[in-house]
Amino acid sequence: RQRQMCIRDSPYRALKYGHSVYTIWMGGFNGSIYASLFYLLVPLLAAIPMADTWLSDRQSGYYQFVQTRNKTKQYFRGLYVCNFTAGGLVTIFPLAINLYACFLLVPDEKPDLILWDTHTVSLYGKETLFPSVFYDYPLLHICLFLFFAFCIGGLLAGVALAPVSYTHLTLP
């Protein structure tokens, strides 16, 4: 017989008053080992999807085909746009999955600086960008955080693609 999962079976059942999705999710301010490990691996995660695309195109002969058609500039523009997008998506995908799971398991309560004793984000502190947005519009704050994470992942993917033009090695 299967049991339905409810809050009493949730791993978050031991949380005291003052925690919500906005303070528990991996992109929040909880300082968990999983969040630390994720941020340690973000550069590698962002670099993997398309880091060796240009080199594999060059080795397969596709780049020479593009070069004969005088479309080199368009090729590199498209390559870097796809690389940026892939790096950004790979970066925010685990954050979005974690946020979705937290919305399923943890109460969606608006953060309150006065009532909560967590002190995760001070109104004048440097724990996050836009602390007033965190307290007034927490979901907008998460969307901004995901947008910045997407941009950082895309930039890291671009940094990984740049040195490939000087090497002859591909990722295994």
Side-chain angles (χ1 to χ4, degrees):
R1 181 175 176 213
Q2 276 188 340
R3 262 178 49 186
Q4 288 183 340
M5 176 122 177
C6 62
I7 286 294
R8 73 175 189 281
D9 298 329
S10 165
Y12 299 107
R13 73 177 185 278
L15 295 176
K16 304 208 179 345
Y17 176 75
H19 289 285
S20 75
V21 173
Y22 309 107
T23 58
I24 296 298
W25 79 296
M26 191 166 57
F29 317 98
N30 55 12
S32 75
I33 187 71
Y34 302 113
S36 300
L37 182 64
F38 171 73
Y39 290 121
L40 185 67
L41 293 176
V42 160
L44 182 63
L45 288 174
I48 287 175
M50 293 188 66
D52 62 347
T53 304
W54 183 76
L55 189 57
S56 63
D57 284 350
R58 194 172 70 182
Q59 289 175 346
S60 71
Y62 180 72
Y63 178 69
Q64 285 78 15
F65 175 75
V66 169
Q67 218 174 11
T68 60
R69 303 281 190 253
N70 290 331
K71 307 243 184 210
T72 307
K73 192 174 188 180
Q74 291 173 347
Y75 170 77
F76 279 112
R77 185 179 301 130
L79 180 66
Y80 272 95
V81 166
C82 288
N83 187 43
F84 183 88
T85 305
L89 288 175
V90 166
T91 302
I92 67 167
F93 186 72
L95 291 171
I97 294 295
N98 179 265
L99 180 64
Y100 180 70
C102 285
F103 268 115
L104 290 175
L105 297 173
V106 181
D108 182 17
E109 297 176 8
K110 192 173 177 183
D112 191 341
L113 181 63
I114 297 171
L115 293 178
W116 289 8
D117 194 25
T118 58
H119 303 294
T120 54
V121 177
S122 143
L123 197 54
Y124 303 107
K126 295 179 178 125
E127 293 88 3
T128 185
L129 287 174
F130 316 119
S132 60
V133 175
F134 175 75
Y135 286 109
D136 293 335
Y137 308 102
L139 196 57
L140 176 64
H141 187 267
I142 286 178
C143 290
L144 286 171
F145 184 88
L146 290 175
F147 173 74
F148 290 143
F150 180 87
C151 291
I152 289 170
L155 290 173
L156 288 171
V159 166
L161 183 63
V164 172
S165 60
Y166 300 108
T167 65
H168 298 288
L169 303 172
T170 61
L171 293 172

